[in-house]
Amino acid sequence: MAEPSDPGPHDGRQRIPPLGAFEEQAKFTRAIRVGDRIIVAGNVGVEQDGSISPDAGRQAERCFEQIIDYIRQLGGHSGDIVRVRMFVTDIADAMVVTNAFTAACGHARPAGTLVAVSALAGPHFKVEIEAEAIVGAGQ
């Protein structure tokens, strides 16, 4: 696990290190902590080896694995999650994505939204998930 860093201005924010050239080029971060608040940008379910499961449920599980890892890197834990937004390209996948949500952070009972969208950043992505946490809010 990489240590949090602040590659940008010294503005009191902690960021996880960039995971690729695109993040550097676009000047965004996947997760940022400001005070006790952690905001995690949308994640897609790319496995550690770079593969993408054709299963929406597995993609959602992988999204939550990444989200929780980023929150931990920034000093929080899964119980600190207070809001989750889930985007699916097929509303028929709503239940398997909801099951992944429940398994990953249902114990925290965060606010949650799930909506269907027409497309995500790549044709193999079926799910994108973003989250917010407040450090110390957890159980």
Side-chain angles (χ1 to χ4, degrees), residues 8 18 22 40 47 67-68 70 106 119-120 125-126 129:
F22 177 74
V40 182
E47 300 290 343
I67 288 166
I68 291 168
Y70 302 155
L120 295 170
F125 299 131
K126 296 181 176 188
I129 302 173

Side-chain angles (χ1 to χ4, degrees), residues 56-105:
R58 176 60 198 146
Q59 286 188 27
E61 290 167 356
R62 181 66 185 136
C63 289
F64 283 113
E65 290 168 5
Q66 294 172 96
I67 288 166
I68 291 168
D69 179 51
Y70 302 155
I71 289 170
R72 285 184 181 142
Q73 287 185 52
L74 293 170
H77 62 84
S78 65
D80 293 329
I81 297 171
V82 295
R83 181 174 180 94
V84 174
R85 293 178 187 96
M86 299 165 279
F87 307 92
V88 297
T89 57
D90 184 345
I91 200 65
D93 292 327
M95 188 46 71
V96 295
V97 173
T98 298
N99 289 343
F101 163 82
T102 302
C105 55

Side-chain angles (χ1 to χ4, degrees), residues 14-77:
Q14 283 181 291
R15 298 167 177 88
I16 63 164
L19 300 176
F22 177 74
E23 290 172 54
E24 286 289 335
Q25 179 184 12
K27 302 294 186 205
F28 85 98
T29 185
R30 294 194 185 270
I32 187 169
R33 179 174 175 172
V34 180
D36 62 357
R37 188 171 176 204
I38 298 172
I39 301 167
V40 182
N43 281 266
V44 291
V46 178
E47 300 290 343
Q48 289 183 334
D49 66 2
S51 65
I52 303 166
S53 172
D55 179 70
R58 176 60 198 146
Q59 286 188 27
E61 290 167 356
R62 181 66 185 136
C63 289
F64 283 113
E65 290 168 5
Q66 294 172 96
I67 288 166
I68 291 168
D69 179 51
Y70 302 155
I71 289 170
R72 285 184 181 142
Q73 287 185 52
L74 293 170
H77 62 84

Side-chain angles (χ1 to χ4, degrees), residues 100-118:
F101 163 82
T102 302
C105 55
H107 61 286
R109 296 188 67 109
T113 301
L114 186 146
V115 297
V117 297
S118 62

